[in-house]
Amino acid sequence: MYTLYYFPGACSLATQVVIHELGQSVDIIDKQQVSDFSAINPAGMVPVLVDNGKTLLEGAAVMLYLLNKHQSSMLPATGRGREQAIQNIMFANATMHPAYSRLFFIAQNIADEKAKQSSFDTAAQAITRLWQVVEQQLVGQDFLGGDQPSAADIMLTVYSRWGASFPVDISMGNNTIKMLDAVLEMPSFQRALSAEQRQSAA
Ligand SMILES: N[C@@H](CCC(=O)N[C@@H](CS)C(=O)NCC(=O)O)C(=O)O
């Protein structure tokens, strides 16, 4: 049984979905309900995964830990497929996630309304350019992982939901929209969303 610290709707949602996809059990804890979360992760961030007393930090590292531990088609054991899967996870975590994080930073730190909207617009254009990269990768395949959703597809789907919280116009191509819709409909994704809602309401 894993323990996963999360924040509702945050990148930790992708971790939970992947744990379900791997057929593992997980106990989820909202970081807001922890009195001294910085003792668990000094950076104050989710996801945090605890496995048998061992604490793992950083979304991509946690993802690779899980995928290395439990065999699955989401991370092929060898070869080009494995390299591509790792690259896709890193693209999601280290390129797309920070691009979306700018929106949160702008909302919290820029007071002047004109400067704020112009920063939102610039950040949204950068995000749209990254979705164009995803769109190109999805030519001829349904998911970044090929014909099945991969960890990166799940991570990108979680991030794609964040744009709705800001006054931004982010465009995505048809291949991308199809991929995101398919991931959203996965039973593991819906199960993870419900678990977060249940836990936060308790
Ligand atoms: N590099 C970190 C970034 C994680 C991150 O930005 N997490 C956000 C949520 S998506 C967070 O915990 N923000 C602080 C907060 O919500 O209080 C990782 O990949 O784990």
Side-chain angles (χ1 to χ4, degrees):
M1 163 79 86
Y2 289 107
T3 300
L4 174 69
Y5 290 89
Y6 77 100
F7 183 83
C11 49
S12 41
L13 179 62
T15 320
Q16 195 199 154
V17 176
V18 167
I19 292 172
H20 293 319
E21 280 296 306
L22 295 171
Q24 303 302 308
S25 310
V26 61
D27 197 8
I28 61 166
I29 301 177
D30 186 337
K31 69 165 264 198
Q32 298 167 109
Q33 287 163 8
V34 179
S35 57
D36 186 12
F37 186 69
S38 64
I40 297 168
N41 182 1
M45 302 210 172
V46 295
V48 174
L49 184 76
V50 182
D51 180 14
N52 250 322
K54 182 167 58 181
T55 298
L56 296 122
L57 308 176
E58 288 297 322
V62 167
M63 208 55 102
L64 290 172
Y65 176 83
L66 288 165
L67 295 171
N68 277 315
K69 190 166 168 191
H70 307 284
Q71 219 183 356
S72 119
S73 59
M74 286 194 282
L75 184 64
T78 57
R80 190 66 192 127
R82 182 180 178 82
E83 292 156 6
Q84 192 65 54
I86 294 172
Q87 181 178 306
N88 290 341
I89 288 171
M90 293 304 168
F91 170 81
N93 186 255
T95 301
M96 189 66 96
H97 184 313
Y100 270 96
S101 294
R102 286 185 202 125
L103 299 177
F104 294 90
F105 181 86
I106 293 163
Q108 285 159 15
N109 294 288
I110 302 186
D112 178 78
E113 282 308 321
K114 212 166 147 210
K116 190 176 219 168
Q117 190 56 53
S118 138
S119 303
F120 272 138
D121 293 346
T122 307
Q125 283 158 18
I127 294 170
T128 293
R129 282 196 295 276
L130 293 177
W131 283 120
Q132 284 164 0
V133 174
V134 173
E135 182 71 11
Q136 283 311 306
Q137 254 189 277
L138 291 173
V139 171
Q141 59 184 50
D142 288 343
F143 301 97
L144 293 181
D147 55 4
Q148 296 295 324
S150 67
D153 295 288
I154 293 165
M155 294 163 87
L156 290 174
T157 303
V158 168
Y159 313 154
S160 73
R161 303 169 75 241
W162 297 342
S165 304
F166 304 96
V168 288
D169 186 12
I170 294 170
S171 304
M172 294 160 191
N174 288 339
N175 297 331
T176 305
I177 291 169
K178 203 169 137 229
M179 177 276 277
L180 298 173
D181 286 348
V183 173
L184 257 177
E185 280 172 20
M186 288 165 68
S188 56
F189 202 103
Q190 289 303 315
R191 186 177 159 199
L193 274 176
S194 306
E196 285 194 353
Q197 278 156 13
R198 239 189 351 264
Q199 187 84 0
S200 298

